[in-house]
Amino acid sequence: GLDQVGQQQQPPWQLRQQEQRVSQAGTAAAAALVGVGSDDAAVLPAPPPGHLLVSTVDFFRSFWPDAYLLGAISANHALGDCYAMGAHPASALALAVVPFGSPAYQASELGDLLSGALEVLGNAGCELVGGHSSEGAELAAGMMLIPCGFLC
């Protein structure tokens, strides 16, 4: 059959065979809380024994016409949530909405927004590893820290 996006689904017996191969290989994916065999598009690794994973996300509409500042504020707020839980940031995903406009304008706004975020994240020892951008009526930015580190 077809899944929700029109891609061919594998029969359940093939999925079970794949899960068994992953499990037998002893990979980290076999110990995931969410992963192989689920309908999710990402994997949630199991934390080491005695630890918890902490994640946070912040998202803001632009309140000032400065993309660099918005990126820095967005990263700073996400880091603050992480620190409030007693965790340490490890990696981040950026979420960005750039206003409709010429490709050059959009590239400039996105570049400024990410530059502000990268400066704040870099000072915290947190690596920006990816994200997603879209077009919209106004500038907006968000950060997701994943995980914020391990709590003992």
Side-chain angles (χ1 to χ4, degrees):
L2 297 178
D3 66 11
Q4 293 174 347
V5 292
Q7 296 177 341
Q8 186 70 31
Q9 291 180 330
Q10 294 182 337
W13 61 269
Q14 283 183 335
L15 287 175
R16 282 193 295 277
Q17 286 178 339
Q18 290 173 349
E19 289 172 7
Q20 288 172 351
R21 280 195 298 268
V22 168
S23 180
Q24 290 167 354
T27 66
L33 299 174
V34 175
V36 176
S38 72
D39 289 337
D40 292 306
V43 172
L44 175 61
H51 291 73
L52 300 172
L53 293 176
V54 178
S55 297
T56 184
V57 65
D58 275 298
F59 193 81
F60 299 96
R61 294 173 44 204
S62 184
F63 49 85
W64 190 258
D66 185 333
Y68 180 90
L69 182 61
L70 181 62
I73 289 170
S74 177
N76 196 45
H77 273 265
L79 288 168
D81 289 349
C82 182
Y83 296 141
M85 293 298 296
H88 300 284
S91 60
L93 295 175
L95 307 168
V97 177
V98 293
F100 298 112
S102 71
Y105 170 73
Q106 290 180 325
S108 175
E109 287 290 280
L110 183 60
D112 288 349
L113 186 132
L114 292 175
S115 291
L118 283 167
E119 181 177 337
V120 171
L121 293 171
N123 289 338
C126 183
E127 184 178 0
L128 182 62
V129 296
H132 187 78
S133 63
S134 183
E135 293 179 299
E138 63 185 354
L139 184 65
M143 285 291 141
M144 180 178 181
L145 301 185
I146 42 143
C148 286
F150 295 102
L151 287 175
C152 294

